Amino acid sequence: MNQSDIHLVDLPNEILLMILKRLDNINVLYSLMGTFDGQFDILLQDNIFTNTLNMISRSSTDNDDDDIYSIDDQILDRFCIDILPKIHHNVKHLILESMSMKRILLAGNYPNLTSLKLFNFGQNIALNYFTDKSIFQHIFKYQITELILENNDNYDYVGGRILSKEYNNNIYVSILSLFKNLQSLSIVGSFTSSYPPLSIVDLPSITFCSSILTKLCINVRSLDDCLYLLDGRLKQLTIFIVQIRYIYNDLSIIHNTDDLSNLKYFSLTCYNLTNAYDNRMIPLFRRMINLEKLTLYIRITDRHTFVDGTHLHKEILMHMLQLHTFIFYISTIIQINDLVHRLSNNDIQQTFKNIGYYQTSCTVSYCRRSSKAICHVFSLPFAFDRLEVIINRLPIIIFHHITYLTVFDMIQFKQEFFVLIAKACPLLKHFGIFNRMLLLRNFDKYKADYIQSYSIIQFSHLISLDMMVQDQYYIEQFLLDTKTHVPRLIELKLFYSHLKNVTKNFTRDATRHNCAHIKRLICYDTCDYPKKFDHYFPSLNIVSYPSST
């Protein structure tokens, strides 16, 4: 057979299956169904290929994630009619968008379905389908062992203590009540939303219990909620991934202090500052006597010394004899005076080398004006998507996962610093710049600061820019298209007076391009919109904050 005569259909079934699995594309699956005298029908019904189906409806998704594959409604309808009834018995894992969930689940019986992942999940889905009266009760109640929900509810909308209790009952409690065989539960937020966290502080001790759940990934309101989850109500829990909103230094509640001998992997993330690290966090870590992997993201304040390698080894790591993986980001803010010995980056780095942790980095900054110092220490490669309160310096490494960054200037940032940020954080989506410097009197001097030796700084993924600054130089730096390119910027937070000055009362062409796609403008002072304002921001949905915030 000549090489030119070989067709796709002539390949052995084993090779065709390898090709199809690499394509992993619902459109390809749909287009091949019913062709080549049924050969592909047989292949596409093969258990190996239809094991996992990822079907996200394009019309219902609204995100910028490149890794979310979507299909249009027409193909989805045909898929539910022509394909799913033929392969539903082979499907073990479903990845769905919540608005299309009903159509897809009604297209078959799915007797082998054990894993379900839902995007754009909300309270309405739980109220309609996560109940004992659900039309999918036969699937949810006894088959599903793994449930992953990307929550799209907005905490600001739900808000309030009473509604928060209702949310606990409607979402968290109802899930464990309905899914009787659930062994793994993950509830995470989408990138742009902050959904209501679990809070069981004031609820009965039998709330949110399971004798078979082994993995839990969840957001909770406070450390007390986390401690309640570890009081024995989840007896078989071996993997616990928790994001905590607040860690209070409150010892009034008495918690179970038994060893957590079943726990093998613990991950804790808290973005808000806490002063309870020594009193409450260290005792919790010491209970995890058989822990094998620890992931920690925490920001600490009101300590007398930095958290360094020596401290971590003495207070935590030496009590975890089975630990083999420690991934961390820890920042510490301390008070300083002229008598405090100033440690360098090398000093902090050496404390980690002394305990055998060589893949680490750190940065230390001192501010005499505020009498404070901040130290960031973290394992390499940097594993988190968030980095906060960087002051005038950043380690010269690539942060491949960072999408959220805040910087705070004590000395005015120059263009070189923003060049470094763009290179170090190539996937940056949310950027906050904060300062308390007095407004420069000679703004024209900086407005004319076009540094020709630099090319235009590219922030290709930046969607939100927060500039709570007194120095208009930063507004100029990011809005002037000869200095910075922000093609996806849709949210801008700043002082309206600065915006008005930099844009020359919204007539300046050089700043118009970087404002063209902004949908949300959040101002920290009073706004007085001119007549031509809408032409400068054609797709704007204005939100104004009073200066008191």
Side-chain angles (χ1 to χ4, degrees):
M1 181 182 294
N2 295 329
Q3 192 172 21
S4 60
D5 294 330
I6 297 177
H7 300 284
L8 187 63
V9 71
D10 297 316
L11 295 172
N13 287 354
E14 293 79 3
I15 297 178
L16 286 174
L17 275 175
M18 293 174 62
I19 295 173
L20 289 173
K21 285 190 291 183
R22 288 190 174 275
L23 289 175
D24 192 22
N25 185 315
I26 294 299
N27 282 304
V28 174
L29 179 62
Y30 171 77
S31 63
L32 293 177
M33 200 72 177
T35 62
F36 300 112
D37 296 325
Q39 179 182 2
F40 276 88
D41 288 41
I42 297 173
L43 289 175
L44 297 178
Q45 293 178 51
D46 187 278
N47 183 61
I48 298 175
F49 182 66
T50 59
N51 182 44
T52 300
L53 287 183
N54 183 347
M55 295 178 288
I56 311 298
S57 172
R58 176 181 288 114
S59 61
S60 303
T61 53
D62 183 18
N63 57 62
D64 296 317
D65 294 333
D66 297 331
D67 58 342
I68 301 299
Y69 175 72
S70 60
I71 57 178
D72 60 44
D73 287 339
Q74 183 178 2
I75 293 179
L76 181 60
D77 288 337
R78 297 294 301 275
F79 193 88
C80 291
I81 296 171
D82 297 336
I83 298 179
L84 282 176
K86 299 177 181 179
I87 65 172
H88 70 99
H89 57 282
N90 287 330
V91 177
K92 295 181 179 180
H93 310 279
L94 271 177
I95 303 174
L96 308 175
E97 201 278 329
S98 60
M99 298 301 292
S100 59
M101 178 183 74
K102 182 177 181 180
R103 278 187 291 171
I104 293 171
L105 289 180
L106 287 176
N109 292 323
Y110 303 99
N112 294 305
L113 182 65
T114 59
S115 175
L116 176 64
K117 180 174 183 178
L118 292 181
F119 286 92
N120 291 334
F121 171 83
Q123 183 174 199
N124 61 313
I125 297 297
L127 292 174
N128 288 328
Y129 301 115
F130 287 5
T131 71
D132 286 334
K133 298 180 181 179
S134 171
I135 57 177
F136 306 121
Q137 182 182 163
H138 63 288
I139 297 177
F140 294 163
K141 200 162 190 176
Y142 301 111
Q143 292 181 205
I144 300 298
T145 59
E146 178 185 44
L147 180 63
I148 303 172
L149 306 175
E150 184 184 275
N151 198 313
N152 202 38
D153 282 322
N154 191 313
Y155 188 48
D156 293 332
Y157 174 77
V158 176
R161 188 173 182 81
I162 296 177
L163 289 181
S164 179
K165 285 185 177 181
E166 292 179 0
Y167 199 88
N168 284 329
N169 290 326
N170 294 339
I171 304 297
Y172 301 110
V173 176
S174 65
I175 288 175
L176 286 189
S177 298
L178 176 62
F179 293 82
K180 299 296 186 182
N181 288 322
L182 202 61
Q183 298 175 21
S184 176
L185 172 62
S186 297
I187 306 178
V188 298
S190 65
F191 191 84
T192 57
S193 68
S194 178
Y195 68 95
L198 171 66
S199 182
I200 56 177
V201 171
D202 299 321
L203 299 180
S205 59
I206 59 173
T207 304
F208 207 77
C209 294
S210 172
S211 60
I212 62 173
L213 194 71
T214 60
K215 177 182 177 180
L216 177 62
C217 175
I218 201 166
N219 287 9
V220 300
R221 185 179 183 276
S222 70
L223 178 62
D224 288 301
D225 296 304
C226 173
L227 294 175
Y228 276 127
L229 291 175
L230 294 173
D231 65 2
R233 67 185 70 198
L234 303 174
K235 301 181 183 299
Q236 301 302 319
L237 197 64
T238 59
I239 300 174
F240 189 22
I241 302 170
V242 61
Q243 181 173 314
I244 302 177
R245 190 152 294 180
Y246 305 108
I247 301 177
Y248 300 116
N249 199 7
D250 181 5
L251 300 176
S252 61
I253 301 177
I254 305 301
H255 289 280
N256 186 346
T257 58
D258 293 344
D259 287 343
L260 301 167
S261 55
N262 286 337
L263 206 58
K264 304 298 183 182
Y265 173 39
F266 181 62
S267 172
L268 184 148
T269 300
C270 183
Y271 295 129
N272 290 311
L273 287 168
T274 178
N275 62 353
Y277 169 76
D278 291 278
N279 290 337
R280 306 200 70 191
M281 299 308 302
I282 291 178
L284 172 60
F285 293 136
R286 290 186 178 181
R287 294 169 57 194
M288 303 176 185
I289 56 174
N290 293 322
L291 203 68
E292 298 175 0
K293 181 179 180 180
L294 174 63
T295 300
L296 179 62
Y297 183 111
I298 192 168
R299 301 173 60 218
I300 305 166
T301 189
D302 294 340
R303 291 194 93 248
H304 298 296
T305 59
F306 296 135
V307 171
D308 59 12
T310 302
H311 164 87
L312 290 172
H313 176 72
K314 179 180 178 181
E315 300 296 336
I316 299 176
L317 302 180
M318 67 179 298
H319 299 275
M320 299 176 174
L321 299 181
Q322 307 301 320
L323 191 72
H324 58 71
T325 303
F326 182 32
I327 301 170
F328 62 92
Y329 164 78
I330 303 170
S331 75
T332 318
I333 299 175
I334 65 172
Q335 291 290 128
I336 59 170
N337 55 45
D338 293 336
L339 300 178
V340 172
H341 174 64
R342 298 198 172 194
L343 298 172
S344 66
N345 289 356
N346 289 335
D347 294 330
I348 301 295
Q349 198 84 28
Q350 188 60 47
T351 66
F352 285 94
K353 293 180 180 178
N354 292 341
I355 64 171
Y357 281 78
Y358 296 95
Q359 296 298 313
T360 62
S361 185
C362 69
T363 177
V364 184
S365 300
Y366 293 87
C367 180
R368 180 173 297 180
R369 188 188 314 168
S370 62
S371 299
K372 291 184 178 180
I374 183 168
C375 174
H376 306 269
V377 296
F378 47 88
S379 56
L380 294 176
F382 193 83
F384 307 95
D385 62 4
R386 191 168 177 135
L387 189 57
E388 300 190 59
V389 194
I390 293 297
I391 300 178
N392 295 106
R393 63 176 65 184
L394 192 70
I396 305 177
I397 58 177
I398 302 298
F399 296 89
H400 292 285
H401 301 291
I402 284 184
T403 55
Y404 183 102
L405 174 69
T406 65
V407 296
F408 194 103
D409 78 345
M410 297 300 179
I411 302 172
Q412 187 183 65
F413 296 131
K414 297 298 183 181
Q415 186 159 351
E416 296 95 324
F417 182 74
F418 296 116
V419 171
L420 175 61
I421 294 292
K423 292 180 179 179
C425 307
L427 298 181
L428 187 64
K429 290 187 176 183
H430 294 251
F431 190 21
I433 307 169
F434 305 95
N435 80 341
R436 294 179 181 174
M437 298 173 63
L438 293 176
L439 182 64
L440 293 169
R441 295 185 178 182
N442 187 8
F443 176 55
D444 288 338
K445 172 184 176 183
Y446 291 90
K447 191 166 63 174
D449 181 23
Y450 302 101
I451 306 176
Q452 299 299 330
S453 60
Y454 290 105
S455 58
I456 298 175
I457 306 175
Q458 300 285 338
F459 285 94
S460 301
H461 297 273
L462 192 68
I463 62 175
S464 177
L465 181 60
D466 187 354
M467 294 185 285
M468 186 181 279
V469 296
Q470 297 297 324
D471 192 339
Q472 296 179 180
Y473 167 76
Y474 297 127
I475 315 297
E476 180 90 9
Q477 173 67 61
F478 276 86
L479 295 190
L480 195 65
D481 59 16
T482 57
K483 287 192 173 184
T484 305
H485 184 47
V486 283
R488 302 176 72 178
L489 186 66
I490 59 174
E491 180 179 79
L492 183 62
K493 303 179 184 180
L494 76 178
F495 287 99
Y496 176 81
S497 57
H498 296 345
L499 177 64
K500 187 175 181 178
N501 288 341
V502 170
T503 61
K504 297 182 178 179
N505 200 22
F506 310 104
T507 62
R508 189 178 184 185
D509 289 336
T511 52
R512 185 186 300 271
H513 185 266
N514 281 341
C515 296
H517 303 292
I518 291 176
K519 298 179 180 178
R520 294 184 294 273
L521 177 61
I522 301 173
C523 299
Y524 294 117
D525 56 352
T526 304
C527 307
D528 56 335
Y529 307 118
K531 293 182 179 179
K532 296 184 178 180
F533 188 79
D534 292 341
H535 297 289
Y536 209 84
F537 298 96
S539 58
L540 186 64
N541 179 17
I542 299 172
V543 180
S544 176
Y545 282 177
S547 58
S548 60
T549 60

